[in-house]
Amino acid sequence: MTIARPNAFLLSLPVELRLQILEYVIDGAANAGLKYPTVPATVRPESNRTFQGLILDLGYYASANLNVLLVCRQLRNELTKAAFQRTVFVIRDPYYVNAKYFRNLQRIQLDSLRRVMLVFQAYRLSQLTSWRWPFNLEGLHLDSLTIALQSATQHTVGGVLSEDYLANSTRDVVGLLRRLEHVNRFKIVQNAAFTTQRFQSWYNQVIGLVLKEDHYQRYDAPDAPQIEATWWDWHFDAAEKSFEFIARPAKPVVPEPDYIEMVAPLVARLMSAMEAGSS
């Protein structure tokens, strides 16, 4: 007869090993909460337009990653921090974006949050205009903040699809980028949202306004220089239909000719992207 030994149980393992095992339990993939569809997604039911790129994974729930914390008090105490750090928390709310989502979290849970994805209508991006920190919670430090634009079938204004909402949101996004702190990566995913212009065209508009606004605030504004809180490196991913900003320290104040020389490669890259998009 085989007798189970106490040291064969999970709780008898060193805590370091339990933390390693946790990595196999929790979905810590870079795009957790999103997926590539096996077949192109339909943009609008009444049209023949399809979409190929990342879309929201409707089968993903953060709670599935956190079930391990319900096993016993010991695992909850040991693994809460690591579990919250690795889990993407998806907030699906088409109307409001504020700190209410976190009011029931314990302090250790809130302090451990690192990855949040918002799913809501793009024309409500203005709700983020006042942010200095994510959700204006100074204690919240995120490795990634992702916005997945709500799909076209849910995006309506008075019952009519708003097809110019991206262009109307450009200034709001740029204003947010100039102020936002405590976010290492900021990403916007098209998620099969219907637009009259290609998603990359809007990305080019955002980058163009980032450069234009930064120059104005440094040299031409009445209270210049006004330096951005965060400088960003940016990248468009054509396969994902997403673009991402990676946080960097604010640029120093330099004479205007030196600044123009510094950003010249960024302007040239933008012009090349715009020319390629129009061809």
Side-chain angles (χ1 to χ4, degrees), residues 10 55 109 150 159 170 181 229 246 263:
L10 176 65
I55 62 172
Q109 295 171 335
Q150 211 167 45
T170 304
E181 300 178 77
I246 301 174
V263 300

Side-chain angles (χ1 to χ4, degrees), residues 12-51:
S12 67
L13 296 174
V15 65
E16 293 81 6
L17 288 180
R18 286 199 291 274
L19 288 173
Q20 291 183 26
I21 293 172
L22 176 70
E23 295 181 3
Y24 295 94
V25 176
I26 292 180
D27 182 0
N31 285 321
L34 299 164
K35 66 178 182 179
Y36 286 103
T38 54
V39 295
T42 300
V43 176
R44 295 182 68 179
E46 67 273 21
S47 75
N48 293 323
R49 294 192 58 180
T50 58
F51 174 83

Side-chain angles (χ1 to χ4, degrees), residues 18 25 45 47 59 61 80 83 93 103 140 153:
R18 286 199 291 274
V25 176
S47 75
Y61 291 94
T80 290
D93 192 333
R103 61 190 176 194
L140 190 57
T153 55

Side-chain angles (χ1 to χ4, degrees), residues 43-69:
V43 176
R44 295 182 68 179
E46 67 273 21
S47 75
N48 293 323
R49 294 192 58 180
T50 58
F51 174 83
Q52 291 182 301
L54 281 180
I55 62 172
L56 192 66
D57 183 355
L58 298 179
Y60 174 88
Y61 291 94
S63 57
N65 274 358
L66 304 178
N67 284 338
V68 66
L69 304 180

